[in-house]
Amino acid sequence: MKTDMDRKVRDFLGARTAKIFADVLAIETVGDLLRHYPRRYLKKGELTPFDELEVGDQATVNGRVKKVTVRSLDTKAEIPLTDVQKWARRKTLTKVVVTDGRRDLELAFFNQPWLATKLTPGTAALFWGEVTMFRDIMQLKSPGTEILDEEDLSEAEIERRARPFRPLYPATAKLPTATIERSVKIVLDSLDEGLEDPIPDLILRNEKLLSLREALQKVHLPDTEKDIRDAQHRFRFEEALVMQTILAQRRAVTDALNAIPRPRTEGGMLDEFDQRLPFELTAGQAEVGEEIFADLARPHPMHRLLQGEVGSGKTVVALRAMLSVVDSGGQAVLLAPTEVLATQHHKTLTKMLGDLAEEGMLGGAERATRVGLLTGSLGAAARRTAMLDAASGAAGIVVGTHALLEDKVQFADLGLVVVDEQHRFGVEQRAALSQKSGENTPHVLVMTATPIPRTVAMTVFGDLSVSTLTELPAGRSPIQSSVVPAKEKPDWLQRAWARVREEVGKGHQAYVVCPRIGDDVKNAADEEGEFVAGEEEKAGGKKQQARPPISVMQVAEALAEILHDLRVEILHGRLPAEEKDAVMSRFAAGEVDVLIATTVIEVGVDVPNASTMVIMDADRFGISQLHQLRGRVGRGRVPGLCLLVTDLWAGSKSYGRLDAVASTTDGFELSRIDLETRREGDVLGVAQSGRRSSLKLLSVLRDEDIIFAARHVANSIVSVDAELAEYPALRSFVRSALESETTEYLEKT
Ligand code: ADP
Ligand code: MG
């Protein structure tokens, strides 16, 4: 269905302008343009508070000129303002200080000395460009300018500037906000009333929402603050409705799938295992266990997300679910994101099961099974055995990495898939596994240690049921964390190494984590896919990332001296698999004192004797990631210590994030801080580059009420009309949202 919103902006704005829109903002259709909402509004006469600016922002500010100077770039001599015209062809730097009434902002213009005659002190103007930091002073470099109190304006321009609010659009130097504003007005004025509205009439009325046409008018050309609020509310609802409709459709599909019920049986391995457990299950573990057993007994696939802090004991929960499925005749797989983890899980499960995992062996329990391991780096013979065991059903439980998903791997009767650390597995992989169990879909349990606020879970994992482990097993030692500002206080870093030495002296072990491997220029992220590269960049600090992150190799070299008498080894993703395993085993066996590693150790690695972690360039990691990393220490009875080393100065915003990590061990709290300091797109795991996200105004953190209301509406629509036959406009929206990145991410969860 083609609508007005699908028409090309070219038909309205002319080819040249249309090309700029396409090149700069990827705006091609009327819909693209009209849904490029203003980021902010400037109330007539209002100045932009400069303290809201952040380095890296594309900002438009309204300021008043305080001071102007022009200098020759060659001689650095100041040029009298009366002479600037003569300098038109020479190299100059014009510095303009503007103020918002409280703070100053510096503007730097190269080779445009005549600006000095226009931007005279007292002039109010709009400036737009990227916010940078130059010698500790916030600057806009060669910003676009629009003087506000200019004379001799066209009538249309006078009318535009007289409006009570000026929309400020996400803009660039090539496409200033004023041009966007003019273009939007042209397009809006020439559209007729009957725009196809993705929100059905009845819902507009029930929810008291503006129609699409009204809302577009008010979001772009508001007369009052209420106009802005109402219009934004409507668009937020629309975004939430589209997203919740997709999720409702997905739930409908899942509900229609068949699974073999795997009811809990008495007197099997699970009961035996429970009797032998060396500890009491926490109340949470027992409760979640019951939820899972109930799901497994149904003829439709379980689709459950298990959230729980690092160390909250998810593995036991998963193992009990797997045993229950094996008891009822099926097989279970446990997928891990890395080989190190898969290997570790395999060892852990085998150890926990004891003779229950020794089926067919001398000394095996009466009812027993085998736990297979299948990773990419297995030798041919081991691989063949593992595959045979999976295919014959001899291995009730198979642990592995995505090597498990290869076509050749077959199962006798796959009943349950447990995915550890969900965000590294996509829906395609889930689908690949489903295909291994014929017409019936396996039950799926995904586990994550990254706590997710409720609305985010609802948005991102809207088709999953969620269980949460909130308590840690008793007897866990607390982790103490501190930030070490290595540049400001170099002796603190020395003291950090002294602490490592002391801990080793007490018979404990330590990790030193680095953001990069450093045996070439690539960073660890590339090979290991785990380093949250450029989180800082996304948060706006591009220009501050001059030095490459500290590497494992650099630290290894430095520590070879500082800790010369300790047993220090390195671990990273580019080591051959056997070597990784060997290093990990030596560390686990206490034969290594200090392990210098990348984030390969982030998830799941469990060495209770490790008491200390030093994280180098800690500011290069995300908050949640730091929290994950530090969960590797303090796992036994030994109190944990985590030192977050950074070159940042104590006043900076990113230092504040490290402080937050140091001051709490509440994962939910940290994940909230983490999410708040990121942009919305990142909350949903969307890369900032590339296609636009379909969430522009909706905040999954703030707009809880809207999301709930939209979910309710979406459910009622989908329950009677899953194909949206009666709602063509909504359907076409859903389709285009499905093509956008946000939902690409949804697809992957
Ligand atoms: P995570 O949730 O991070 O995967 P694990 O499953 O690795 O946590 O559990 C961390 C440690 O706690 C393991 O050594 C495990 O054996 C132990 N553990 C799990 N449940 C309990 C419990 N109820 N009481 C005591 N220790 C437990
Ligand atoms: Mg775990």
Side-chain angles (χ1 to χ4, degrees), residues 110-404:
F110 293 92
N111 310 327
Q112 305 175 62
W114 59 84
L115 277 174
T117 60
K118 298 200 157 211
L119 297 172
T120 49
T123 308
L126 287 182
F127 304 97
W128 56 89
E130 185 173 317
V131 181
T132 57
M133 197 62 115
F134 183 71
R135 301 208 176 116
D136 283 343
I137 296 176
M138 231 184 223
Q139 261 197 356
L140 296 184
K141 201 176 283 167
S142 302
T145 58
E146 179 188 318
I147 294 170
L148 291 174
D149 36 17
E150 235 169 347
E151 288 150 29
D152 301 332
L153 295 173
S154 73
E155 225 166 279
E157 191 59 17
I158 290 170
E159 190 204 308
R160 185 171 71 86
R161 294 190 183 185
R163 296 197 59 84
F165 290 94
R166 296 284 303 278
L168 296 180
Y169 292 91
T172 68
K174 269 201 181 146
L175 202 48
T177 179
T179 306
I180 301 175
E181 186 184 347
R182 269 191 291 268
S183 307
V184 165
K185 184 152 190 327
I186 292 170
V187 170
L188 264 182
D189 286 351
S190 50
L191 286 183
D192 46 325
E193 291 298 306
L195 283 181
E196 288 285 338
D197 196 327
I199 308 183
D201 278 345
L202 181 66
I203 290 153
L204 288 179
R205 261 177 280 135
N206 284 350
E207 303 288 329
K208 299 195 177 53
L209 300 170
L210 295 181
S211 73
L212 177 57
R213 186 70 178 81
E214 283 173 303
L216 286 172
Q217 185 74 28
K218 290 183 171 176
V219 84
H220 292 292
L221 301 166
D223 288 320
T224 63
E225 284 184 27
K226 182 171 185 308
D227 283 354
I228 299 172
R229 274 199 311 274
D230 291 350
Q232 289 183 335
H233 178 74
R234 182 232 131 88
F235 288 120
R236 290 193 177 112
F237 189 92
E238 177 187 292
E239 289 173 10
L241 180 63
V242 169
M243 175 152 286
Q244 292 302 326
T245 301
I246 292 170
L247 294 168
Q249 285 178 321
R250 193 162 301 154
R251 278 193 297 272
V253 170
T254 316
D255 288 349
L257 294 174
N258 296 319
I260 299 175
R262 315 277 178 177
R264 185 171 176 173
T265 52
E266 300 277 307
M269 282 184 284
L270 175 58
D271 285 349
E272 181 69 30
F273 175 79
D274 279 350
Q275 271 163 30
R276 299 179 185 182
L277 256 186
F279 46 71
E280 286 270 305
L281 291 178
T282 64
Q285 284 171 323
E287 203 173 295
V288 173
E290 293 308 315
E291 285 171 353
I292 293 172
F293 298 140
D295 281 358
L296 291 174
R298 295 200 189 98
H300 300 290
M302 169 171 81
H303 230 173
R304 188 169 284 278
L305 174 71
L306 171 57
Q307 303 189 53
E309 276 289 324
V310 174
S312 59
K314 295 184 290 295
T315 315
V316 183
V317 174
L319 181 52
R320 293 181 73 235
M322 293 192 280
L323 286 175
S324 181
V325 167
V326 178
D327 277 341
S328 70
Q331 286 167 291
V333 306
L334 173 56
L335 289 182
T338 62
E339 296 219 348
V340 171
L341 256 184
T343 311
Q344 173 130 26
H345 270 315
H346 179 253
K347 276 189 200 136
T348 310
L349 297 192
T350 312
K351 200 167 104 196
M352 286 175 97
L353 288 171
D355 62 0
L356 290 174
E358 294 174 359
E359 190 269 331
M361 281 183 231
L362 210 60
E366 190 182 336
R367 280 229 50 189
T369 187
R370 273 185 229 163
V371 182
L373 174 67
L374 202 51
T375 63
S377 61
L378 279 189
R383 188 176 174 75
R384 204 169 318 116
T385 315
M387 283 176 59
L388 273 176
D389 279 357
S392 69
I397 297 175
V398 182
V399 184
T401 55
H402 35 259
L404 260 183

